[in-house]
């Protein structure tokens, strides 16, 4: 009951001036003010007020920690609401291309974040993929498969590591970021090589329209 009272009181200020958005069938409430975002998540009983300086600091921390310099321009911000609660999701432009950032927060603000990478010009709600991990599918022909593995080990041993998941499926961990992983896909006996998508909880995205128009 205490959490519910907190969540309801979160929206009393300027409730008539600015609309409160209900997300995921009322599982979350979102209100955009001029200088903050108020979010109440009923599934995990958390309410918080994310101020613009706090969000600017978050982007600065992401830039420093993940070596992404100067996100600006065409950025998008969302609240994702699902059975595990609410998350702030950001689709940002950076010097390394577009990135997808999922954040966890508590009553005091941002608690942690996870960065995924996106394809060029991929906008909108996002999950992102791991930058240096891939799934490699090989032929079911055992002899040809052994030839492919020997070739990869000999030519690319300093560029990535291979971890066997099954006889025909491997995880590729790229060590040398300058190496073009698509070269492997052209080797005879390789069926496919795919990016590893970061899995997030199922839920509903709500675009933060006011915040998306700002540049940090």
């Amino acid at each position: 009951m205490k959490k519910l009272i907190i969540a309801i009181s979160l929206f009393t200020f300027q409730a008539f001036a600015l609309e409160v958005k209900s997300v995921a069938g009322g599982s979350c409430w979102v209100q955009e003010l001029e200088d903050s975002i108020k979010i109440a998540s009923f599934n995990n009983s958390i309410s918080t007020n994310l101020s613009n300086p706090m969000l600017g600091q978050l982007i600065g921390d992401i830039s420093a920690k993940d070596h992404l310099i100067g996100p600006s321009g065409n950025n998008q911000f969302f609240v994702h609401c699902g059975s595990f609660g609410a998350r702030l999701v950001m689709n940002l432009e950076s010097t390394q291309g577009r990135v997808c950032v999922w954040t966890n927060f508590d009553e005091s603000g941002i608690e942690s974040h996870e960065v995924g990478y996106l394809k060029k010009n991929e906008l909108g709600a996002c999950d992102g993929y791991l930058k240096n991990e891939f799934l490699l599918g090989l032929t079911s022909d055992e002899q040809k498969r052994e030839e492919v593995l020997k070739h990869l080990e000999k030519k690319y041993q300093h560029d990535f590591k291979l971890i066997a998941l099954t006889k025909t499926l491997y995880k590729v961990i790229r060590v040398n970021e300058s190496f073009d992983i698509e070269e492997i896909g052209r080797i005879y006996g390789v069926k496919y090589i795919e990016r590893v998508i970061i899995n997030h909880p199922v839920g509903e995205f709500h675009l933060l329209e006011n915040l998306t128009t700002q540049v940090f």
Side-chain angles (χ1 to χ4, degrees):
M1 177 61 72
K2 182 180 179 181
K3 292 292 186 179
L4 179 59
I5 293 173
I6 292 174
I8 292 175
S9 64
L10 184 66
F11 295 97
T12 57
F13 180 65
Q14 291 189 349
F16 294 100
L18 294 171
E19 184 180 359
V20 175
K21 300 289 186 178
S22 175
V23 185
S27 296
C28 300
W29 290 351
V30 180
Q31 185 180 41
E32 289 190 74
L33 303 176
E34 290 185 3
D35 58 353
S36 66
I37 305 163
K38 294 185 176 183
I39 303 170
S41 173
F42 295 99
N43 284 337
N44 59 344
S45 301
I46 287 179
S47 60
T48 192
N49 184 14
L50 304 178
S51 67
N52 284 3
M54 186 184 299
L55 294 172
Q57 181 63 50
L58 170 64
I59 292 179
D61 291 344
I62 293 170
S63 298
K65 180 179 178 181
D66 301 285
H67 309 292
L68 307 171
I69 302 173
S72 63
N74 196 11
N75 298 329
Q76 295 177 312
F77 300 82
F78 304 85
V79 170
H80 177 274
C81 186
S83 59
F84 292 93
R87 302 287 188 272
L88 177 67
V89 180
M90 301 180 286
N91 186 327
L92 303 175
E93 183 179 358
S94 79
T95 55
Q96 294 188 30
R98 299 204 70 83
V99 295
C100 182
V101 182
W102 280 64
T103 67
N104 294 317
F105 54 80
D106 55 21
E107 287 89 346
S108 61
I110 301 297
E111 190 177 50
S112 62
H113 73 270
E114 175 186 44
V115 176
Y117 291 78
L118 298 170
K119 296 179 181 178
K120 185 178 181 180
N121 299 325
E122 183 179 347
L123 302 177
C126 57
D127 285 300
Y129 58 84
L130 299 175
K131 186 177 182 181
N132 292 313
E133 289 191 18
F134 304 82
L135 290 178
L136 175 68
L138 300 180
T139 177
S140 58
D141 184 313
E142 185 174 357
Q143 181 178 349
K144 186 60 185 176
R145 189 169 63 247
E146 289 300 321
E147 292 176 2
V148 172
L149 291 173
K150 289 179 180 179
H151 172 74
L152 293 177
E153 183 179 356
K154 180 179 179 180
K155 185 173 182 180
Y156 304 113
Q157 60 179 325
H158 300 298
D159 295 318
F160 58 79
K161 298 178 181 178
L162 284 178
I163 301 174
L165 302 177
T166 67
K167 289 183 179 181
T168 60
L169 182 63
Y170 287 76
K171 178 189 286 188
V172 179
I173 300 178
R174 181 166 55 184
V175 177
N176 182 358
E177 293 188 12
S178 63
F179 173 69
D180 184 4
I181 202 74
E182 294 181 1
E183 290 182 18
I184 298 177
R186 294 189 286 268
I187 298 174
Y188 181 70
V190 173
K191 296 180 66 175
Y192 61 84
I193 184 162
E194 298 177 346
R195 300 182 187 277
V196 178
I197 303 298
I198 301 173
N199 292 318
H200 294 109
V202 175
E204 181 180 324
F205 288 91
H206 170 72
L207 176 65
L208 297 170
E209 297 180 1
N210 293 341
L211 189 59
T212 293
T213 62
Q214 300 182 30
V215 177
F216 292 94

